[in-house]
Structure formats: C-alpha cells, structure tokens
Amino acid sequence: MDIARVISKRSSALWAPFLILILLASLPLCAPQYTIILLTTIFMYIVITVSWTMFSGPTGYISLAPAAFFGVGVYTSALLGLVLPLPAIIGIGGLASFCLALFVGALTLRLRGTYFVMFTFGLVELLLHFVLWWEVNITGTTGRVVPTVNNTKVFYFMLIIFVILMFALYTIRGSRFGLALEAIGQNEDAAAHTGVNVTMVKVITFAISAFFMGAAGALMATRWTYIDPKIAFNPLLSFMPVLMAIFGGMGQLYGPIIGAAIFAYLEEFLITRFPYYYMLIFGTIMVIAIVYMPEGLVGLIRRLLKSSTEGRHART
Amino acid sequence: MPVLEGKGLTKYFGGLVAVSNVDLHVDEGEIVGLIGPNGAGKTTLFNLISGALPLRSGTILFKGQKISGLKPYEICRRGVARTFQSIKVFPDMSALQNVLLGSYFGVSPGMSSMEALREAKEILEFMGLSASSATRARDLTLASQKRLEVARALATKPQLLLIDEMMAGLNPTEVAQAIELVSSIRKNGITIIMIEHVMKAIMNVCERIIVLHHGQKIAEGTPQEIVSSETVIKVYLGERARAAS
Amino acid sequence: MLQVSDIDTYYGNIQALWGVSLRIDEAEIVALVGANGAGKTTLLNTVSGLLHPASGRIEFCGKRIDGMAAYAIVQLGMSHIPEGRRLFPDMSTRENLQLGAYPRRLWKHKEKTLEEVYKIFPILKEKESQLARTLSGGEQQMVAIGRGLMSMPRLCIIDEPSSGLAPVVVDEIFQIILRLRNEDIGIFLVEQNVQQTLEIADRAYVLENGRITLGGESKELLQQEVIRKAYLGL
Amino acid sequence: MIVRVLDIGIAGLLLGGIYALIAVGLTLQYGVARVLNIAHGEFIMIGAFITWSLYIIFGINPLLSLAICGPAIFTIGFLLYRTLFRRLRISSASPAAFEGSSMLACFGLLFIIQNLAILIWGADIKGYSYLAFPIRFWGQTFAANRLITLGFALAIGLIFYFFLTWSRLGKAIRAAAQDAAAAELMGINIDQVLALCFGFGALMAGLGGTLLSMSYKIQPTMGLEYTVIALIVIVLGGLGSIPGSFIGGLLLGLVGSIVTYIQPGLSLVAYYLLFMLLLLAKPTGILGK
Amino acid sequence: MKSKVLPGILAFAVAALFMVSSAEAKRRPAKDKIVIGQAIALSGPLAGGVAIAGGPIYELWVEEVNKNGGIYVKEYGKKLPVVLKRYDDKSDIGTMTNLLEKLILNDKVDFVFPPWGTAWLYAAAQIANKYHYILIGGPGGALKLKELKLPYFFQVLNFSETQAPGLAGIFKEVGVKSVAVIYRGDLHGVEYGDAMVPYFKKKGIEVKMKKSYPPGIKDLSPLLKEAKSLGVDAFCAASYPDGGMLLTGQSIELGINFNAFFITVTPFSPNLYRDTFGVDVVEGVMGGGAWNAKSSPGAKELVDKYVSRFGVEPDYWGALYYWSSLQHFQQAIEKAGTLDQKKIRDVMATSTFQTALGPFWYDKNRYFVNHPGEIGQWQKGVFEVIDPGEKRTAPPLYPKPPWPKKKK
C-alpha cells in the first residue's frame, strides 16, 4: 500500500464520480417525477449491492441476509411512523440493523462456506415468520401504514446514503482495517496467526454493511406506504445483491454498481414493455449473460477495451 | 528460563489421538527440531501452541504466562509467530502488503503507517525479497513464497517462531539458503521450533530434536543421539538408516 | 509402449511444458525427476489426459491419445495413481478398489481382480470394510496403488508415492513397485526421493523448468556430476 | 396419549416423506454436481402440472404418471447439464466461481420455467381429487393419498439408496461426489456422471411434484418454497450426504407436525429455528463429518 | 488511469439513458381514448388469485364498453373508447407502488384501477389519493382503511364488519351452539378472525377454539382434529385460496365433518372450488360472498357474458361487485361530462345509479353498502345466498351432509 501512489491515483480519478454526483443531484430540477422514482429504486439496489459487496466481496462469505437487514430497517420505519424526522428514522433503522448484524455476526461468522450462506438465509425466514407470529398472536394485528414522503426528498436521502456508503467503502479499503479484511478473505487462518482479530474485523464490517441496508430499508418504507412482514422481509431481496454483483463483476469496485444499475433498469424496462413475457426475457438474458460473460459486465468491458487497444496498437 | 513450556498436551480428533500427553520445553535462543512420520502429530502440536486448535488437556506457558486457551491473534500479539506446512500467503496481495499486515497487527499494533511501511521493507530486504515487493504473492516461486511466509511472521516481531516444513519441495541450493536464513533469524535473538523432513537441514541447524510418533514423544536429544536411538530407527528411519549409520 | 513427442502444455496462459519428448517400453520402470514446480505433475496429467497438450503428440500402444479424455485413456490400459493418493474418503477400502475396475469390460471380473490385488496387499483384505479416511498413510498409499492395478493396466503412472510416509513405509512401497515391474507392468514414476528412485528405475528423465534436460539409464545418471550436485546434495 | 403421539408422528412423516425426496434430489445436484439449483422447485412445479394435465385431460392415474413424469423431467435435467452447466463448469476458474455462476444461471432458469408455465397453464391455482378418503387404523384416521405418497417417497428413496450403494453407476456417482478428478482417473466419464446426477435430481423433483399434486393444489409460483425447504434439509442432513438429506427431510416434517399441534402459528418459525440452532451446534449437519 | 475514467463514462451513459427513456413522457394529445392503468399481479404468488377472482372482470368491462363505442364524455362531445394498460407488479408491493406512480406520472393515464390483495390496496389507495386519482377498491380492502379517511378511495367489496354479523345471524338461525375459528396470519385473517368472535358471542354462540396459522403451512390436520375433538358444531376459517383448498382437501381426506363448514375466501370460486372437488362433495360448504345468477337480472347477464368470454363461471364474491362498481363509474363519468377526477369523484360519492346488482351508491365514508349478499353456501352446484332477509336465494342447509364416502 504505497500511500503516495494511492493519493495521486485518487485525485485524478475523483472528478468523474463528482461530476456524476452533481448531475444526479441536479436531476430533480429538470427530470420528470417518475425518473426520480425509478432512480431512487435503482439507487436502493445499488446501495444494497455495494454494501453487500463491502463485506462479501473481500471476505468471500456469501451473505444472504440482506433481506433481513433491509427488512429490519423497513420495520423500524413502519413502527416509528413519522413521529421522528426522516433522517432520525433512517439512522435508527440503520442502527437497528447494525445491532442485529453484530449479534448475528458474533454468533455465526465461525460458520464457513455454504453453512454461512444457509444460516443467513434462514435468518431472513426466521425473522419473517417470527414477526408475523408476533404481530398476529401478541399484538393482534398485522401490517402498518407508513405515511408517504415527497419523492424528491426520498431520492436525495437515498443519494446521501449512497455517498456516505461510497465514502465508508473507500476509507475502509485504504486503511489497515481494509488490508486485514482482504487478508481474511484470502486466508483466514494466516490472518489470525498474523495478529488480526479476525472475528472482530468480520463482525464489524458485517455490521457496517448491514447499517447501510437498514438505512435504505427505513427510507424505502416511506415509498411503499404499507408494510407487513411478508413485504418487509422479502427473501428475493437477499438474492438480488448477489445476482447484481455477479452480473456486474466483482473484480472492480464499480462492477456491482453497474451491475445493480443495469439489472434494476432492465427489469423495469422489460416489466413495463412486456408484462406477460418479461420473466422469460429476463431469465434468458441472465442465462446468456452468465454463459458469455463469466466475469460479469466489467470483464466484458475489459475484454472489449483490451481488444480495441490491441487493435489500435496493431494499426500504429 | 524456558521460553515455551508445555505440560501434558493432549488432543483428540473424534476418537483418534492426535497428540497424547506431550511435555516440551524450549529455552531462549534455541533451535529445536520436530520430526516424525506423517500423522505423528507435529503440525497438530504447532496448531495447539499457536492457538489454531483448542487443547483437550494440558497447559502451555509462554515466558511463564499461560497462553493455552487464548485466540490465535492474542498468542501472536504476545510474541509467537508461525508459518504453515501448506503455504498460506495471501495470494492476491503484494509481497509488501503480506508483510505489512504483520507489522500492523503483530506484537506492537497501532504503529504509524509510515513506520510500519519502513519496517516491512526492512524485513523484505532481510529475507532477500526486496526485488519482488510489488509482486503478487501467487506469482512468486515456491521458495520465495516460503520466505514470504517467514517474513510475514517476522513482521509481527515474535520472540518464538514456529516454522512448519520450510524446506519441503525446495532444491538443494534453496535448502542451503533456507538453512542459512534460519541461522540468521536465530542470531537476531528469536527462538525457533521447526518441523522438517529434510534430515540434512535438521541435523545441521538444530541443537535439540524431538521425535513424535503416533502423537507421543518417543525421543528427545541432540542430533547425534537421535540418529543412534534404537527406538527412532525402529519406528521411523528403518533398516536403511541403520545400515547407513 | 508410450511415446510422447514434442508436447507443449499450458496452464491458462502460462506455458508449463516445452517440447517434451520421452518414451516408455513394456515392463520398464522409468523415473521422472526434477525440482518442485519443474512441471512433473503437469507432464503426468498431460499423459493421462487430465490436461491436453497444445501441440505435439502422445501415442499409447500405437494409438494416438492426446486429446482423448482421461476416462477413455484408462480404458486403454493406462492407470494414473495421483499425488496425494486421492482416495474416496467415505467409501470402504473394498469400494475404492472396486472403482479401479470401473470400465465395463473390467467390472465383470472385478471380484477376481480384487483377489489378485489382495494377494499383493494382504493387509488391505483385513481392512476391506474400513472407510478409506480411517486408514494410515501407508495403507492409503497401498489402496491407491491397488486401485490403480484394478484396471489391469499395462502402464502405471505413479506420482510421489513416498510423500508423507515414514522412511520405513517408503521402503515397502518401493518393493511393491519393483514387484509390479516383474509382473510385466510398465511404471512411470515421479519421486522427490531421487536417490532411491534412481536405484530402482531402469531409465530416467530429468525435467527442469518444463523441459527435459537429461535422460538415460538410471545407473549412469546416478554417476553424473550434475545430478549428484543438484538433486542428491552430494 | 400414545395414540396422539403416533398420530402426530405419522402426520409428520407424511409431509416429511416428500421433503426427503425433494431434498435428496437437491443433494444430487448441489452435493455432487455442485449446482446450487435455485430452480429445483420449478422442476417440482413442472412435475405437478404435467401430472395434473395427464389426469384432467387424459384421465391418467397420477401414480402412473410417476412413470411418465420422471423420465421426462430426467431428460430435461440431463440435457440442461450437458448443455448449460457443463459449459459453465469448464469455463469457470474455480469451484467457487462455478457455484456462483451456476446459481445465477439457475435463477435465469427459474424465471424462464415459471413464465413458460404461466403461458402454458395460466397463473391460477389448480388441483384435482385423487384417493381423497380416510383410512382408519390404530384408532386414528389418515388420508389415503398421503399414505400412498409416503409409501412411494420411502420406496423411491430406498430404491435410490440401493442403487447408489450397490450398482456400478451408483458407486461412480458417490466417487464423483467425493473426488471428481480421481474419479475421472478411474475411467469414469465425469461429465456424464454429473449430468446423470443433475438429471436424477430433476427426476426426484419431478416425482416429488407428482406426489405433491395428489394432496396439494398447484400453481406456477409454488416452486420457491419447496426449494427453500430442500435447501434447509440438505444443510440439516449434512451437505452431500444422501441418507442425511433423507433423514433431515423426515425430521423437518416431524418437527413441523409437533409444533403445529402445539402452536400452529409457530410451525414455520420452528423449521428455521431448528435449522439455525443445529447449524450453530453442529455446523456440518446431522450426518456431516 | 483509463480504467478509472471508464466507469465514469459508463455511469454517465446509463444516466443519460434514463433521461432519454423518461423523456418519452408525453404531453396530453388530443383526446381520442381513455387510458386506464392497472398494476396488478400477473406473476408471483398472487397471480393465481387474480386469475380466478377479479382480474378478468376489468378486461370484460373494457371490452363491453368498447363494444358500445366507448364512454360518452361531454367535454369532448364524443364517445371515447377505453384502453386498459396493465403492468405486472410481480406480487411485490414495492414494484406495485413504483408502477402505479409510473402510470400516473409518466404514462399520464386518465384513471387507475386497483391492484389485487388487501395489503396492495392499502398502499395503492394512499398513492392514488396523493395524486388525487380516484381508486375504486377492487379485490381486498378492510376495516383499517376506513381510518385513513382517503377522499378519493371508494371501497366496494364487503368485508369482515359486514360478513361476520351475517354469518353469526345464520348460525343463530340454524342453531349452531359452538364454533372453532382458525385464521391465516395476515391482514385478512386477523381482521376476520377478530371480527367473528364478538358477533358469535353476542348471539350466544360459544367460541371453543381460536388459532392462527402461518401462510405457507403444509398441514392443517392438527387444527381440524383438535376442533373435532372439542365437538364444535361449526368450523370457520379466515383463509386465502392456498389454505382454503388445503383445509377442504384434508377434511375430505380425513373424513372430518362439521355441521357447518365456512371458509372466507375460496368456496366462492366455482371453477377452483366446486369443480376441483365436485358438486356432491362441496354440498353444504359455506363461503364469503355472495351472489348468483338468481340475485338479479343483471347478475344472470354477467354470468352469461363471462362464460361466453372466458369459458368458466365468474367467482361468486367480487365479480358482480366490481362489475357493478365499474358500471357506476361509467355513469358517473357520463354524468360529470368530463375526465376531471375531482368532479367525477363528487358525482360518484353522491349519486345512485342502476347497475347489474340493482341500485348502487356509496355511503358517507365512500363504502358501498348495498351488497347482494354476505354469505353463500353450495347447494346442488349453486352458490346460494343464505343471508337472512330478502337477499336470500335459498334457505341454509343445516347440518351440512357428511363428505361423500370414497368413490374413486
């Protein structure tokens, strides 16, 4: 980790994300409302996918718990209604997920491979059915109405969550904590014997990634207006970040972002154009994508870029 | 005063005894060799010392303090570092990053980035790996990877270093270099326990040898005592050794 | 019996073998020696069909086999006993051995073949219902060799049979290899234990960095200065 | 009291039998062929719908359609592996990469199969009545069709177990599960064996679907919940262990039945709680190493 | 550096793509048709319910209106044909809310139709109300929605508060002494489960058992056996089609019979329920609803139209309700003479129109009250309305005959 090199790399590459950010931030001024709504959804997927990648990318622990963390955020928001200001609700939602992740992480991160995968998936279903039972049998009701919030406001908050997430991600990647995380992914035993408190590093990263999922959930609840356990803890949402990250390519930081953005947009595009065939088309695209782009979109782009530069070399 | 002291170390895997009631002590500045056929429990013993596996019974003292029961990272931070039989470098990290991790998280965590970087570079230099400091670990040769593992272990600033089969798979030239390296590490005041199959290396560098068989310590002594021990020849070295000696 | 001519093999983008040629005759022990990472296992895998050469040709009993799948090559009478034994850990000794006779032609006679193998390794008969994972290292190696013999091969490729075994057990394994040769089975042997290997082999090749650098009668090789220095540490 | 216990036990086994069958199928696909088949439930759904069509349109006895459905779905599974998954396996850099990419491909398949089913059969719930009458013994009543389902599930499981233990191909499958490269060196055509495994997995799902359709109503979206249950069971039983999956399936059925008797609202909570507690206590499953 | 610039360009391109795609947002062209948007489950777990209960009615209505040349709107001085623009919400509430807003904001549809499912209706009602779009409640709706006081929302279907007293009345009339109640752990189940108990108590009927079960349960036999062992006269279940079918199937399989057997959602479907089990088998089963071809001339006409269009009978709960609400809606537009939501809403809230089920109006909470019936019962293949009073098309059959003995 040559620090000088890292810094120089950053300053010259910083303008691009900044430009995009300014562009996105100014979008509500000119773009139609629905574009804002769609972008909010897309950014929700990006936030979930990137925060998933934050933990699962370097460590190689495939977590299927996103739906649980997202759902905890959603439910926090639903429980609190709008008695508190929105930023506070987002913060509490994130914090609730953070705490859950700390607990679950401390309990389960000794599991490896498929066992961890299945445990995290079980968590989603357990929470779903437990909350359902709790509401029906203890509180005697189910489902909650969440007051709606201005769409533009939701968009800006989602953008802010995204920016904070990216900032957190960059900070972690550049730090010794990030180095330890990467080491854990490559060889956990060796990392432990090199003095890294592997459990702590894993659990904390797991919890940080859960924080962002929970925050996104708390925010999105205001868009859904009505919440019940089956809606909040939708198991499909656990698979989405995995699929999106693989689709985009996990080799690079921007892979999951592109993957999530295109995946989410494609789905919306197909569902509105071909309501009766969209699953067929979507499924076919997924199968073709995985066969022809084993390293995801990023891999494909790289290959294209490589062949084009090679072509240029050949010409000169 | 012994740096490391183990009493009645025992470990079972399922119903099988892996290490059975082994006592051992290592004095400061020593190089101790650990030999025995495969499955004798050598690596298991290392795993017990470094905290990778919990003990079934027995205690391990390091500099008079109990370390059995501690987590691997805690033991490492107290000054016990190790390498692995099957290489466990971080394959997609550069050699420098591999070593840097040791500096960051070893005996003295919390040192500044600049200091850690300087130290890591020094260690790479010492191990003769400066030239490949930016190379990804997976692209290094086998011998260099083994060195890198030792470098990473050294970066944690240990007082006791456990080396597990550093010579296996190296050619004689590389073996000679490795032997030299082990001696120079010792010169820096680090106590060493090494598991080795390459007899030549063991005989050359070790002052004392412990022989394990079926999880039990069957012999202990100077290299000369070991090669002439009846028990060792019978269970381990075989007739050929007898003929040769 | 086996003729390897000028093969190149790649691992991904990295070339591992460069123009390797060698031959093995009937009932002959041929050793392949070389440092770790020289490409010995790659060469064996290429011969047995687990890897495919990018160029060159391999003939076995007059048949061209480069490009054939490994399972098809087994049926021609070549058996590859891989490094690290690679037994099926949750199957019994007996089942492991039976699988050696998997090709349909051999499956019918597997019980008879099994008796033959038990004659060579009487201890395996005693442990025939034990799970492979519970056997000792030496016994596992015997099962691995026995399993290789179940296909009644004309050529047996044995990769590092001594690794991880106590010197006493290694002696025993080498005795068995010699015995196989006497039963008219060709042996292609890779070993780190160069001295001992060259003592039992008829001929040997030296592989360095993916290239064959030396080859000849093992007795002669044993006397050569280069070998003595590089591999025997003398 | 004893009668009550017996009643709960048998009710649990009735459901557990199907779980077991489905889980064994997934074990073959995931434990052996390394394909985390998220679309496993879709094969169940297809099996159920084919059975329904055969019964409603041609009046073919559902038990007879076991013989039609099974081979048909086996073929689909086999061909899928030969074309799609084999290609993915060869092009994947590592087993882990294959697991990821095959899961993504299975998700694609899930969407495709479900959409096709909606196009062919419509999205609505379907069902038929077959052998829907009570049988009494030991002072308790049981549904005839469920007893037959259990009988067939056990028989299929047993036949398959003997096939794996005794036959040449069965041994090859077990060998491939334990060490694919070594199996290839035994002269086993690994591509063929893995494709067969995937096919057998699909076959089990198809048979499960046929049996399910005798007692449950069917609809194109029914698959995922069975996939989830099968996933739980295979982990519960120890990954890759076929007897483990079978026992795990029966166990899950029993637990569900016991909890439904005490507090029906918690029956699904109990599934997951049992699953997670077992993972924590013995991460490798009931019959895992 | 190049590899760092690339993502920038790519992300930019993606952003640009969104803008272009949403720039399609059309300006309102000269009016030549009325576009009605509907985000409803075409796939996912709810799709089955959509197909058997409610979904097709909207299509049939659109075809019917267009057959007559469309809806006359005075503002434009002509009849405007109707176009139904449907999106698939995948049975996911997040997708539904997005698509509903897309219909309103991006596609600028003239009206929206409701999604399927109670929870979905809750969310949709709030969104439609936010944009001042009329939403005529279709399949679903419950008590809690009343509390939200949404001025643009109209509830059509009867619900727990109207059906539970109906059921209790019938039980009292036929002499039911004790009941067992089970309910699905969701909004529908909880509301019905809670609503039934006090009405039974008021009529002096003992509730001996009340238990919930989770959606997705695979075995309900313990509940049936428990109720049987308690010796109750009536068994009532608040369930959705999955549970309703399972419950009936298991009762038949186990030969467990009650004097009265009631399921809220499921028996009303002739093709799913009656035809799956058989006319003899379902004889005497009660279900929420209800209407049949005998309810009114318009009802008969609807059944005929539906059968000739889809080949099966409509469901005997919502179909007539939605159909009539749409007829009411059409007349309200024609009376208002405009497509303005506010004006049409005011007309709808205050006017009574003749529809297939007879006169149709909303009360002050904008709830439709003139239900054709609350409780139905299968009798000889007809879903008879057995409510006390003039709506009744046949007297209740009590006790329910036992399930037929095995016969193939």
Side-chain angles (χ1 to χ4, degrees), chain E residues 14-322:
Chain E
V14 171
L17 200 69
F18 296 140
M19 305 234 292
V20 172
S21 78
S22 37
E24 289 173 20
K26 309 123 197 165
R27 240 169 285 122
R28 193 173 286 212
K31 208 70 205 166
D32 54 2
K33 60 183 183 228
I34 296 172
V35 182
I36 303 178
Q38 186 172 33
I40 196 166
L42 303 176
S43 65
L46 296 188
V50 174
I52 61 158
I57 280 291
Y58 296 96
E59 298 164 39
L60 189 66
W61 178 76
V62 169
E63 288 167 15
E64 183 74 12
V65 167
N66 290 338
K67 217 183 279 168
N68 297 325
I71 301 175
Y72 181 77
V73 186
K74 208 167 102 197
E75 200 180 10
Y76 299 99
K78 60 178 173 185
K79 279 190 169 182
L80 296 175
V82 176
V83 174
L84 183 62
K85 190 177 175 91
R86 263 195 181 166
Y87 289 148
D88 177 14
D89 73 16
K90 304 186 292 177
S91 305
D92 171 52
I93 223 163
T95 310
M96 191 278 291
T97 53
N98 269 7
L99 291 176
L100 192 61
E101 296 206 59
K102 180 182 169 72
L103 285 165
I104 294 171
L105 294 168
N106 201 41
D107 301 343
K108 305 215 186 313
V109 296
D110 298 298
F111 298 105
V112 290
F113 277 168
W116 199 94
T118 299
W120 278 252
L121 195 61
Y122 268 55
Q126 291 189 78
I127 287 173
N129 207 67
K130 186 166 92 178
Y131 295 104
H132 301 294
Y133 265 63
I134 295 165
L135 192 77
I136 304 166
L143 198 53
K144 267 210 231 160
L145 208 46
K146 221 175 203 171
E147 297 158 13
L148 292 176
K149 299 199 188 331
L150 305 169
Y152 284 84
F153 175 68
F154 293 83
Q155 169 70 15
V156 173
L157 205 58
N158 46 3
F159 58 106
S160 57
E161 279 235 309
T162 63
Q163 292 189 314
L167 184 66
I170 295 164
F171 279 4
K172 176 79 184 166
E173 179 187 339
V174 298
V176 169
K177 296 275 178 297
S178 57
V179 298
V181 175
I182 70 163
Y183 58 102
R184 188 182 203 249
D186 67 358
L187 191 56
H188 170 85
V190 170
E191 284 210 7
Y192 274 85
D194 286 350
M196 279 191 257
V197 175
Y199 285 105
F200 287 147
K201 283 191 178 144
K202 215 181 286 170
K203 300 274 181 189
I205 300 166
E206 191 189 353
V207 179
K208 283 195 172 167
M209 168 182 156
K210 181 178 180 246
K211 280 197 171 164
S212 80
Y213 69 88
I217 196 168
K218 290 273 162 274
D219 183 11
L220 288 167
S221 63
L223 291 165
L224 283 165
K225 287 180 177 173
E226 189 181 345
K228 193 70 206 170
S229 70
L230 291 171
V232 295
D233 292 324
F235 188 86
C236 302
S239 74
Y240 268 7
D242 53 349
M245 294 302 282
L246 180 62
L247 196 61
T248 311
Q250 291 199 301
S251 312
I252 299 169
E253 289 162 9
L254 298 171
I256 295 178
N257 193 45
F258 297 93
N259 290 339
F261 190 67
F262 170 80
I263 301 172
T264 53
V265 177
T266 314
F268 63 73
S269 170
N271 45 325
L272 175 64
Y273 198 76
R274 182 193 63 198
D275 298 347
T276 298
F277 294 113
V279 170
D280 303 344
V281 178
V282 301
E283 182 72 8
V285 173
M286 298 181 195
W291 61 279
N292 58 47
K294 291 185 270 178
S295 292
S296 69
K300 171 89 175 61
E301 200 184 328
L302 172 62
V303 173
D304 294 342
K305 275 188 184 136
Y306 199 97
V307 170
S308 71
R309 171 67 177 80
F310 299 109
V312 291
E313 289 167 55
D315 72 89
Y316 290 117
W317 185 356
L320 183 63
Y321 289 70
Y322 316 142

Side-chain angles (χ1 to χ4, degrees), chain A residues 11-284:
Chain A
S11 61
S12 65
L14 213 58
W15 63 268
F18 245 121
L19 207 74
I20 297 171
L21 216 76
I22 291 167
L23 193 87
L24 283 170
S26 56
L27 218 63
L29 301 175
C30 53
Q33 273 252 8
Y34 181 67
T35 308
I36 305 304
I37 293 172
L38 180 58
L39 274 176
T40 309
T41 307
I42 289 174
F43 267 95
M44 173 198 88
Y45 279 119
I46 293 179
V47 166
I48 296 174
T49 306
V50 171
S51 41
W52 179 83
T53 318
M54 178 191 243
F55 173 74
S56 294
T59 60
Y61 280 74
I62 306 293
S63 159
L64 285 183
F69 299 136
F70 187 83
V72 166
V74 168
Y75 239 83
T76 313
S77 193
L79 283 174
L80 293 174
L82 271 188
V83 293
L84 292 173
L86 193 55
I89 289 174
I90 295 173
I92 295 171
L95 222 58
S97 292
F98 183 88
C99 294
L100 176 69
L102 274 187
F103 174 71
V104 173
L107 210 62
T108 63
L109 278 168
R110 64 199 179 87
L111 298 173
R112 290 190 189 181
T114 314
Y115 302 106
F116 178 77
V117 179
M118 294 320 299
F119 189 97
T120 49
F121 186 68
L123 179 70
V124 178
E125 296 279 344
L126 182 71
L127 278 176
L128 159 63
H129 288 288
F130 180 73
V131 173
L132 199 63
W133 176 81
W134 177 267
E135 289 209 319
V136 169
N137 289 277
I138 309 294
T139 66
T141 175
T142 181
R144 279 148 218 287
V145 173
V146 187
T148 54
V149 172
N150 179 297
N151 290 332
T152 314
K153 198 168 160 190
V154 176
F155 170 72
Y156 277 123
F157 274 111
M158 193 57 86
L159 208 58
I160 291 168
I161 295 176
F162 171 70
V163 171
I164 297 174
L165 168 64
M166 291 312 287
F167 181 75
L169 194 64
Y170 264 108
T171 314
I172 289 178
R173 287 229 167 168
S175 70
R176 63 185 70 185
F177 189 83
L179 191 67
L181 200 61
E182 211 171 309
I184 290 171
Q186 294 180 23
N187 198 314
E188 194 162 336
D189 283 341
H193 285 104
T194 315
V196 176
N197 185 347
V198 288
T199 316
M200 193 197 62
V201 171
K202 284 189 299 184
V203 171
I204 287 186
T205 317
F206 192 53
I208 292 175
S209 85
F211 176 87
F212 289 101
M213 296 180 195
L219 181 58
M220 281 312 278
T222 64
R223 282 221 21 83
W224 293 352
T225 69
Y226 179 84
I227 300 304
D228 73 20
K230 281 206 101 141
I231 295 161
F233 300 97
N234 178 359
L236 212 58
L237 202 66
S238 275
F239 288 101
M240 278 305 164
V242 189
L243 298 181
M244 288 173 169
I246 298 176
F247 184 71
M250 307 223 325
Q252 290 288 325
L253 195 63
Y254 56 89
I257 299 181
I258 294 178
I262 294 185
F263 213 83
Y265 180 69
L266 191 68
E267 186 177 13
E268 203 272 351
F269 180 85
L270 291 174
I271 211 170
T272 52
R273 303 297 190 286
F274 313 99
Y276 293 92
Y277 301 94
Y278 101 93
M279 290 209 318
L280 196 64
I281 302 169
F282 199 57
T284 312

Side-chain angles (χ1 to χ4, degrees), chain D:
Chain D
M1 185 60 209
I2 291 169
V3 171
R4 194 94 201 124
V5 170
L6 210 71
D7 180 29
I8 295 170
I10 291 180
L13 290 182
L14 293 178
L15 191 55
I18 296 185
Y19 288 174
L21 198 60
I22 297 168
V24 168
L26 192 60
T27 294
L28 285 169
Q29 298 183 333
Y30 185 46
V32 183
R34 290 273 132 213
V35 178
L36 184 44
N37 187 8
I38 298 292
H40 190 58
E42 310 320 303
F43 290 92
I44 297 171
M45 181 264 290
I46 293 285
F49 269 99
I50 292 179
T51 310
W52 178 84
S53 298
L54 290 175
Y55 185 68
I56 296 295
I57 301 170
F58 302 107
I60 293 174
N61 184 324
L63 290 175
L64 209 68
S65 31
L66 283 174
I68 303 168
C69 250
I73 292 175
F74 171 83
T75 313
I76 297 174
F78 183 81
L79 291 178
L80 263 178
Y81 192 90
R82 286 309 300 225
T83 51
L84 179 61
F85 295 110
R86 179 169 171 269
R87 194 188 160 122
L88 284 178
R89 189 172 77 93
I90 290 167
S91 66
S92 292
S94 66
F98 175 63
E99 228 165 88
S101 60
S102 63
M103 188 172 97
L104 194 71
C106 286
F107 245 101
L109 284 179
L110 182 151
F111 284 133
I112 293 172
I113 297 174
Q114 224 178 76
N115 203 157
L116 286 177
I118 291 177
L119 291 177
I120 297 171
W121 287 291
D124 51 332
I125 305 171
K126 295 194 158 59
Y128 59 89
S129 268
Y130 177 71
L131 294 178
F133 55 81
I135 288 178
R136 294 188 138 278
F137 56 90
W138 295 328
Q140 288 294 314
T141 42
F142 299 99
N145 52 12
R146 283 175 185 250
L147 282 176
I148 287 194
T149 299
L150 176 64
F152 270 85
L154 290 178
I156 294 166
L158 217 60
I159 291 171
F160 196 70
Y161 182 76
F162 283 121
F163 164 72
L164 282 181
T165 316
W166 301 108
S167 77
R168 170 171 170 270
L169 193 58
K171 286 184 186 192
I173 287 176
R174 281 158 64 216
Q178 292 170 32
D179 191 332
E184 189 152 19
L185 289 177
M186 300 300 109
I188 295 169
N189 182 347
I190 206 79
D191 273 331
Q192 198 77 21
V193 166
L194 294 185
L196 281 173
C197 277
F198 197 82
F200 279 127
L203 172 94
M204 297 281 171
L207 297 181
T210 299
L211 294 177
L212 272 172
S213 73
M214 288 166 46
S215 330
Y216 293 96
K217 301 311 151 220
I218 58 178
Q219 92 190 86
T221 48
M222 64 190 266
L224 197 60
E225 62 178 310
Y226 291 106
T227 308
V228 169
I229 285 186
L231 278 173
I232 290 180
V233 173
I234 64 170
V235 176
L236 210 59
L239 273 183
S241 163
I242 288 165
S245 304
F246 207 82
I247 295 167
L250 295 176
L251 183 74
L252 203 67
L254 272 179
V255 168
S257 153
I258 294 166
V259 180
T260 307
Y261 175 67
I262 301 163
Q263 172 58 272
L266 283 178
S267 59
L268 291 177
V269 176
Y271 280 8
Y272 297 105
L273 208 60
L274 168 83
F275 166 67
M276 292 167 80
L277 288 178
L278 191 101
L279 262 187
L280 288 178
K282 190 166 184 304
T284 48
I286 302 169
L287 290 188
K289 290 138 224 169

